């Protein structure tokens, strides 16, 4: 039997909470930007205009890395001014997200990396969404 102490559980609750906030903040940002560029029917219209096909996967079911691949990378008109640090921070988070998703404990440096990277992305998004 594996022993889990309360401190580890609290650490992982904090890490999951930050990841949850990040993914859903990013979803909201993507929706806002896509609506601004492609209009209210962006989910159906944008893939046909830009990718010459229909949407492949339901937006709400996309994981963090898929949000980047399917939207941030695929629609440069909507996301052309993302700073390199934004994407670098996302890439820093991916392996940490996988550890959280598979219930593997994050070390204190990993938690710090997650919190710092997520906070950078969230602050960027909040600033951009407040200026729209």
């Amino acid at each position: 039997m594996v022993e889990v102490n309360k401190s580890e559980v609290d650490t992982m609750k904090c890490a999951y909470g930050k990841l949850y906030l990040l993914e859903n903040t990013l979803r909201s940002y993507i929706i806002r930007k896509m609506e601004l560029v492609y209009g209210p029917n962006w989910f159906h219209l944008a893939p046909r205009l830009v990718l010459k096909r229909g949407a492949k996967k339901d937006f709400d079911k996309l994981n963090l890395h898929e949000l980047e691949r399917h939207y941030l990378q695929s629609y440069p008109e909507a996301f052309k001014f993302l700073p390199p640090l934004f994407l670098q921070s996302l890439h820093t988070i991916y392996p940490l997200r996988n550890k959280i998703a598979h219930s593997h404990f994050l070390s204190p440096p990993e938690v710090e990396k997650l919190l710092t990277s997520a906070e950078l992305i969230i602050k960027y998004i909040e600033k951009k969404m407040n200026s729209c």
Side-chain angles (χ1 to χ4, degrees):
M1 176 175 239
V2 175
E3 285 277 328
V4 178
N5 66 44
K6 184 177 177 346
S7 175
E8 288 180 357
V9 172
D10 290 342
T11 296
M12 294 308 291
K13 283 169 39 178
C14 173
Y16 178 79
K18 186 57 83 170
L19 182 64
Y20 180 86
L21 178 62
L22 169 67
E23 286 197 32
N24 286 290
T25 300
L26 182 58
R27 274 187 182 76
S28 295
Y29 176 65
I30 290 169
I31 290 169
R32 170 82 64 90
K33 292 293 285 181
M34 294 297 285
E35 284 177 347
L36 285 171
V37 175
Y38 299 102
N41 293 322
W42 64 269
F43 182 76
H44 300 290
L45 180 64
R48 285 180 175 79
L49 284 174
V50 176
L51 308 175
K52 310 298 184 218
R53 61 166 173 76
K56 284 189 172 184
K57 197 169 182 184
D58 193 16
F59 181 78
D60 294 332
K61 294 195 174 27
L62 295 174
N63 292 319
L64 185 60
H65 71 282
E66 293 171 316
L67 290 171
E68 179 188 359
R69 187 175 71 236
H70 290 284
Y71 289 92
L72 302 181
Q73 290 178 9
S74 296
Y75 298 97
E77 185 62 31
F79 303 104
K80 61 185 163 193
F81 297 115
L82 285 178
L85 190 54
F86 183 100
L87 295 174
Q88 289 169 355
S89 296
L90 267 180
H91 296 170
T92 297
I93 291 170
Y94 294 153
L96 304 173
R97 183 219 178 268
N98 290 342
K99 286 183 82 169
I100 293 167
H102 296 287
S103 298
H104 296 286
F105 184 70
L106 296 181
S107 69
E110 289 173 320
V111 172
E112 184 61 32
K113 196 185 302 184
L114 171 69
L115 297 177
T116 302
S117 297
E119 200 56 37
L120 185 145
I121 294 166
I122 291 167
K123 282 184 179 179
Y124 175 85
I125 289 172
E126 287 174 347
K127 181 180 174 187
K128 289 298 183 183
M129 287 181 70
N130 289 333
S131 68
C132 290

